[in-house]
Amino acid sequence: MKNKKTAFYVLITYIVMQLSGAVLLQPLYTFYKGQHPTWTHDKLALHTQGWYMFFSMLLALIVSILFIARDKQFFDNFKEKMPLPQAILWGIIGFVMVLAGQMIGGMIESLLGISGSSENTTSLLGITDVVPIAILAIALFGPILEELVFRRVIFGSLYQGTSFWVAALISSLFFALMHFDFVHILLYAITGFVMAFLYTKTGRIITPMIAHILLNTFVTFTQ
């Protein structure tokens, strides 16, 4: 029961973080506008989004960790765990698997007439140009928090009562939808499936975390 409560608290923390922008972004924008009256609207908007993203993800991650620290069995949903060095290696392998999966997904999108880069990725990269510290949110805080939510909480909870494919499908769709990039939902779904496989393969959440961190870091610094 305590394990389920912790999972619920982590999920609620993530949802509150996602929704808080509707309340906090406008006042934060007004504050920065007063501090920098000569800045353009676009620069102010990116500046606001960058700092909001940094602090909201950091705070949500800290709160989630505090909840998890009270539950010693939170990561025990898999009885068998791969040795840590091997799990870390699988995280690196998983990063390559995600890249390969996204290449295949990109080819499928092309066949379906879907072109262009991800609007979500383009938006995030624009933010990092104005607020470089936001890279920490994209490449570190975000991946860790998302793996806790989508893999440990959603996939991990569903996997206990369903099959891998059902749990992976549902958690991957939620993962895709929460990025608000519906045109490229296939790419996010593929990523979610690979992360679920890595978690199941090793029994350690650190494995998909490593793959996710490497993926976001790679995308950020190459694009």
Side-chain angles (χ1 to χ4, degrees):
M1 182 62 69
K2 185 177 181 180
N3 191 288
K4 292 181 179 180
K5 285 184 177 180
T6 302
F8 176 75
Y9 293 151
V10 171
L11 179 61
I12 290 299
T13 299
Y14 181 78
I15 293 174
V16 170
M17 180 202 75
Q18 291 285 358
L19 297 178
S20 64
V23 177
L24 299 177
L25 280 174
Q26 185 57 49
L28 192 58
Y29 175 89
T30 302
F31 170 76
Y32 283 127
K33 186 176 182 180
Q35 296 294 312
H36 307 281
T38 60
W39 283 8
T40 64
H41 167 74
D42 289 343
K43 185 174 182 179
L44 281 168
L46 291 173
H47 191 79
T48 301
Q49 292 170 24
W51 281 107
Y52 162 76
M53 183 169 60
F54 174 80
F55 282 113
S56 64
M57 284 192 178
L58 176 59
L59 180 59
L61 181 57
I62 292 173
V63 171
S64 297
I65 290 174
L66 290 176
F67 282 132
I68 293 169
R70 299 168 57 191
D71 184 354
K72 304 303 181 183
Q73 298 180 330
F74 183 71
F75 294 117
D76 291 344
N77 52 321
F78 287 99
K79 294 181 180 179
E80 295 184 4
K81 297 180 184 292
M82 186 177 288
L84 185 58
Q86 293 181 34
I88 293 173
L89 177 60
W90 266 102
I92 299 172
I93 295 172
F95 162 62
V96 178
M97 291 173 62
V98 173
L99 288 182
Q102 292 202 346
M103 288 178 62
I104 295 172
M107 289 187 287
I108 294 174
E109 285 188 344
S110 296
L111 293 174
L112 296 175
I114 301 173
S115 60
S117 60
S118 166
E119 290 185 9
N120 179 66
T121 301
T122 302
S123 175
L124 292 177
L125 293 176
I127 290 173
T128 60
D129 285 339
V130 177
V131 186
I133 198 173
I135 291 174
L136 287 176
I138 297 170
L140 186 62
F141 306 155
I144 294 174
L145 186 60
E146 288 179 351
E147 291 310 310
L148 288 173
V149 172
F150 295 105
R151 248 58 66 185
R152 169 55 191 90
V153 173
I154 298 179
F155 171 79
S157 298
L158 291 171
Y159 186 60
Q160 294 177 8
T162 62
S163 68
F164 167 83
W165 294 103
V166 172
L169 176 62
I170 295 175
S171 60
S172 296
L173 287 177
F174 274 111
F175 177 64
L177 292 173
M178 288 307 297
H179 284 82
F180 303 103
D181 195 354
F182 306 111
V183 174
H184 298 284
I185 192 170
L186 176 62
L187 300 182
Y188 287 102
I190 289 173
T191 301
F193 261 92
V194 173
M195 298 302 179
F197 163 77
L198 294 172
Y199 186 29
T200 307
K201 175 72 176 179
T202 65
R204 292 184 182 274
I205 195 64
I206 192 174
T207 305
M209 281 182 180
I210 290 172
H212 202 156
I213 289 170
L214 290 175
L215 175 66
N216 283 22
T217 302
F218 175 79
V219 172
T220 301
F221 285 99
T222 56
Q223 296 191 17

